[in-house]
């Protein structure tokens, strides 16, 4: 008897995913149709549903699509225990995120009981939650909807090109996403000093390192320094690599900072700093205007562009041998609830739409019913400046 066949939409409904997900998995070679109809529509059967279940289960426990493809294509060559160890690390990280929220609540309760909750203390606790939550939510968006099926942090880690035995200084490393996302890939014998102003952030990263120390290669270690980046001394010719991510808004004197980091590098050492900009305006303006002409998203101003250009010019002045690398990605969001949450996290955009609630989500439902998805570009520039020998 011929097996029951499913269309893309029917298989998607059975699994609780979008039709776009089924088509994308086919494109990636993870879920090929068992046949095609006379009209050349994809057809699937129960074995397809089982294959899809395996993909979704692996994604649920933390495997990226690239890892899943490798598992399916080369099961004998892949080290499943190593991959599972990495996924255990990711699950522990998720558990730590919940522990973090509990810790913030408990610490706030303690301050309140002792009548010691000052404004700076409360501000740090709130910022710790919001910044880390935002970073993790952004990671999830790009894992789910990104055209590259990867986050910026794993890409960034590869660009750092850290070698065996190197000394690394991470300025403002705090939560340590660049290390968390590639923890078991840090080369042997590397020492990483994480400098951050937030005691709470350092505490969280130190806890993560201690819990996952068995995943580090032989001789690899972390240390931590609680200090303001503007006041701290970085030493002289002490590091092979200095990582400075999202730090420019906190730098009081840019030329002094660049001079200090250059002196702290060994000959031919490198400073890795990012220059981020977002081009949401073109992609989101028509979406917002379709709901209300009162909604507006402003593109970067000439002043902001000039400021970014001045920063890059200063960077190249202190590091003439600079390599610029661009990370480009696109979000293809097809779910109205996820799109709404994404927009809420976008600062000025989120403030404009927050008051409309379900009315705006209903509009997004209708928009995506017609357009199927919205494509949102994302860019980040990484500058790698090499110190002269």
């Amino acid at each position: 008897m011929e097996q029951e066949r499913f269309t893309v939409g029917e298989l998607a409904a059975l699994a609780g995913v979008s039709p776009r997900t089924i088509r994308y998995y086919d494109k990636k070679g993870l879920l090929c149709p068992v046949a095609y109809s006379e009209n050349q529509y994809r057809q699937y059967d129960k074995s397809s549903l089982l294959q899809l279940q395996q993909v979704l289960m692996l994604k649920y426990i933390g495997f990226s699509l690239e890892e899943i493809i490798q598992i399916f294509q080369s099961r004998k060559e892949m080290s499943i225990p190593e991959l599972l160890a990495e996924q255990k690390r990711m699950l522990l990280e998720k558990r730590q995120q919940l522990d973090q929220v509990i810790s913030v609540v408990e610490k706030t309760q303690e301050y309140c009981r002792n009548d010691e909750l000052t404004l700076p203390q409360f501000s740090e606790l709130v910022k710790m939650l919001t910044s880390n939550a935002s970073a993790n939510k952004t990671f999830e968006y790009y894992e789910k909807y990104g055209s590259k099926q990867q986050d910026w942090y794993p890409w960034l880690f590869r660009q750092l090109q850290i070698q065996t035995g190197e000394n690394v200084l991470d300025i403002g490393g705090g939560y340590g996403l660049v290390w968390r996302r590639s923890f078991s890939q840090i080369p042997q014998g590397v020492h990483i000093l994480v400098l951050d102003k937030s005691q709470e952030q350092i505490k969280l990263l130190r806890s993560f390192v201690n819990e996952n120390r068995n995943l580090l290669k032989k001789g690899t270690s972390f240390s931590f320094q609680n200090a303001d980046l503007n006041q701290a001394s970085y030493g002289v010719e002490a590091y092979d690599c200095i990582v400075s991510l999202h730090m420019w808004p906190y730098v009081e004197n840019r030329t002094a900072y660049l001079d200090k980091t250059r002196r702290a590098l060994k000959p031919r050492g490198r400073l890795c700093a990012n220059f981020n900009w977002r081009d949401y305006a073109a992609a989101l303006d028509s979406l917002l205007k379709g709901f209300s002409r009162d909604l507006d998203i402003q593109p970067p101003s000439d002043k902001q562009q000039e400021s970014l250009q001045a920063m890059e010019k200063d960077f190249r002045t202190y590091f003439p041998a600079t390599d610029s690398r661009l990370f480009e990605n696109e979000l293809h969001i097809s779910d109205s609830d996820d799109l709404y949450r994404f927009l809420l996290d976008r600062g000025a955009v989120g403030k404009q739409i927050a008051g409309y609630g379900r009315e705006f989500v209903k509009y997004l439902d209708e928009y995506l019913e017609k357009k199927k998805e919205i494509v949102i570009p994302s860019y980040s520039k990484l500058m790698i400046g090499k110190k002269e020998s």
Side-chain angles (χ1 to χ4, degrees):
M1 182 181 295
E2 186 177 347
Q3 284 198 32
E4 183 180 3
R5 297 290 172 82
F6 310 116
T7 65
V8 169
E10 289 169 340
L11 183 64
L14 287 170
V17 298
S18 69
R20 176 185 174 273
T21 297
I22 303 296
R23 290 190 286 269
Y24 185 75
Y25 287 173
D26 177 16
K27 181 180 177 181
K28 300 290 285 186
L30 281 170
L31 192 65
C32 299
V34 297
Y36 289 87
S37 68
E38 293 182 359
N39 295 327
Q40 293 302 302
Y41 291 120
R42 298 174 178 87
Q43 292 186 330
Y44 299 90
D45 60 15
K46 288 184 178 178
S47 68
S48 307
L49 186 59
L50 178 60
Q51 177 87 345
L52 179 57
Q53 185 270 339
Q54 292 180 59
V55 174
L56 296 175
M57 180 60 68
L58 288 169
K59 276 188 66 64
Y60 177 79
I61 65 172
F63 283 89
S64 70
L65 283 186
E66 304 306 325
E67 290 173 326
I68 296 172
I69 290 170
Q70 290 177 349
I71 290 173
F72 285 173
Q73 290 180 345
S74 184
R75 289 181 182 272
K76 292 182 180 180
E77 296 178 11
M78 292 294 295
S79 172
I80 301 299
E82 288 183 0
L83 284 172
L84 288 174
E86 179 67 10
Q87 301 326 301
K88 180 181 178 181
R89 177 196 65 76
M90 296 175 69
L91 289 172
L92 287 172
E93 181 176 345
K94 290 181 181 180
R95 185 176 71 183
Q96 188 188 45
Q97 291 168 16
L98 292 176
D99 290 340
Q100 171 192 347
V101 176
I102 294 171
S103 174
V104 169
V105 172
E106 291 177 342
K107 188 170 288 290
T108 305
Q109 286 179 319
E110 180 183 348
Y111 285 145
C112 288
R113 281 195 299 269
N114 298 327
D115 197 24
E116 296 175 349
L117 185 60
T118 65
L119 184 60
Q121 289 171 329
F122 188 64
S123 175
E124 181 177 0
L125 291 171
V126 173
K127 285 180 180 178
M128 183 181 70
L129 277 183
T130 55
S131 63
N132 295 345
S134 176
N136 281 290
K137 281 191 289 185
T138 299
F139 175 78
E140 291 169 3
Y141 289 131
Y142 279 96
E143 279 289 294
K144 189 173 183 179
Y145 295 112
S147 59
K148 289 191 173 181
Q149 290 294 316
Q150 67 170 334
D151 184 55
W152 184 68
Y153 287 100
W155 174 85
L156 170 64
F157 177 81
R158 292 194 295 273
Q159 308 313 307
L160 299 179
Q161 296 183 332
I162 297 174
Q163 305 298 312
T164 299
E166 286 193 330
N167 284 327
V168 180
L169 171 63
D170 185 1
I171 301 174
Y175 193 59
L177 280 171
V178 67
W179 312 118
R180 289 169 179 261
R181 302 300 187 202
S182 304
F183 199 66
S184 63
Q185 300 175 39
I186 302 172
Q188 182 175 336
V190 169
H191 177 71
I192 300 169
L193 170 60
V194 179
L195 182 149
D196 199 277
K197 187 177 180 179
S198 169
Q199 292 183 356
E200 295 295 332
Q201 296 279 38
I202 287 179
K203 180 180 178 181
L204 286 170
L205 183 56
R206 180 187 283 117
S207 175
F208 174 84
V209 170
N210 290 336
E211 289 178 4
N212 296 278
R213 194 173 295 279
N214 63 309
L215 297 177
L216 289 174
K217 291 183 171 59
K218 183 178 180 180
T220 299
S221 61
F222 281 78
S223 61
F224 304 90
Q225 182 180 353
N226 178 215
D228 184 297
L229 67 87
N230 298 291
Q231 307 300 323
S233 173
Y234 303 160
V236 178
E237 295 191 358
Y239 302 100
D240 301 283
C241 178
I242 295 179
V243 182
S244 178
L245 304 178
H246 312 298
M247 286 296 101
W248 298 115
Y250 307 101
V251 173
E252 295 174 357
N253 185 318
R254 191 161 63 235
T255 56
Y257 179 70
L258 288 167
D259 181 65
K260 186 162 64 169
T261 53
R262 184 177 62 178
R263 286 188 287 108
L265 286 169
K266 298 177 182 179
R268 301 194 64 77
R270 58 207 182 276
L271 172 64
C272 304
N274 65 313
F275 294 77
N276 283 8
W277 71 98
R278 295 178 173 86
D279 191 21
Y280 297 137
L284 298 181
D285 187 63
S286 61
L287 173 69
L288 297 181
K289 290 290 196 298
F291 178 76
S292 171
R293 302 299 297 181
D294 294 331
L295 296 179
D296 189 29
I297 177 170
Q298 297 294 326
S301 65
D302 291 341
K303 186 176 181 180
Q304 290 173 315
Q305 295 286 3
E306 290 172 2
S307 176
L308 185 62
Q309 292 170 2
M311 290 167 61
E312 292 193 23
K313 183 178 179 181
D314 286 345
F315 190 95
R316 292 182 183 275
T317 297
Y318 280 84
F319 296 92
T322 291
D323 182 16
S324 177
R325 302 176 187 179
L326 185 65
F327 178 81
E328 299 179 86
N329 205 344
E330 289 180 340
L331 288 175
H332 293 250
I333 302 182
S334 55
D335 181 88
S336 57
D337 287 327
D338 278 352
L339 178 56
Y340 181 59
R341 285 190 288 269
F342 175 82
L343 294 173
L344 283 177
D345 290 335
R346 304 279 75 80
V349 177
K351 291 178 181 178
Q352 293 185 67
I353 68 171
Y356 293 104
R358 293 305 306 177
E359 181 184 357
F360 190 76
V361 175
K362 181 181 178 182
Y363 162 71
L364 294 180
D365 281 330
E366 296 170 352
Y367 180 92
L368 293 175
E369 182 69 25
K370 295 177 182 178
K371 303 288 187 179
K372 305 305 179 186
E373 64 178 25
I374 184 170
V375 180
I376 304 172
S378 175
Y379 310 89
S380 185
K381 181 183 289 186
L382 179 68
M383 305 281 279
I384 302 179
K386 185 173 291 186
K387 182 177 179 179
E388 305 85 346
S389 56

